[in-house]
Structures are given as C-alpha cells and as structure tokens.
Amino acid sequence: MPFLLLCLRDVVKAQGGMTKVARLAGINRENLYRILSKDGNPEFRRLTQLLSAMGLRISVSPKS
C-alpha cells in the first residue's frame, strides 16, 4: 500500500496540489498529507473520496 499512496501523492501534485485536491475531496489538508505519507493507512472511504475528486476510481476485475 505505501507504494500506491506515494504514487497518489505525485498524482495529487500534478492535479494542482494538496490544498486544491483536499478542498475538492472534502478532506482536511493536513489529513491528506497524513493519508498519503509512507506510513499512511487511509480508510477506503477516504481513498475513494480522494480518487473521485481527481476524476479517478479503483476498479477490480477478474483475471483473464
């Protein structure tokens, strides 16, 4: 999970930065930094809020 969170941090920066994305996601900026830290452990709800604010989603599909 840490690798995914660190990658998401880069995406957040590319989407306009922590302040902008936190506002769009309805998440406190300091909490967003904590969520996306290498020791972050976000609730699934927070992760989907964040992804939705950036126009993204998680998808699960069967192996082919």
Side-chain angles (χ1 to χ4, degrees):
M1 185 70 143
F3 181 72
L4 173 64
L5 296 177
L6 295 176
C7 291
L8 278 176
R9 186 169 54 189
D10 289 340
V11 174
V12 166
K13 289 178 184 177
Q15 293 278 329
M18 294 287 194
T19 302
K20 178 182 176 184
V21 173
R23 184 173 23 84
L24 291 172
I27 299 172
N28 180 289
R29 184 177 55 88
E30 289 80 16
N31 286 340
L32 183 56
Y33 275 106
R34 196 172 306 120
I35 288 168
L36 297 177
S37 73
K38 72 174 189 157
D39 297 322
N41 188 19
E43 296 176 357
F44 187 74
R45 176 178 60 97
R46 290 287 186 210
L47 189 57
T48 56
Q49 270 181 288
L50 173 61
L51 292 171
S52 179
M54 294 187 296
L56 303 171
R57 67 175 176 215
I58 292 177
S59 176
V60 178
S61 59
K63 288 182 175 181
S64 36

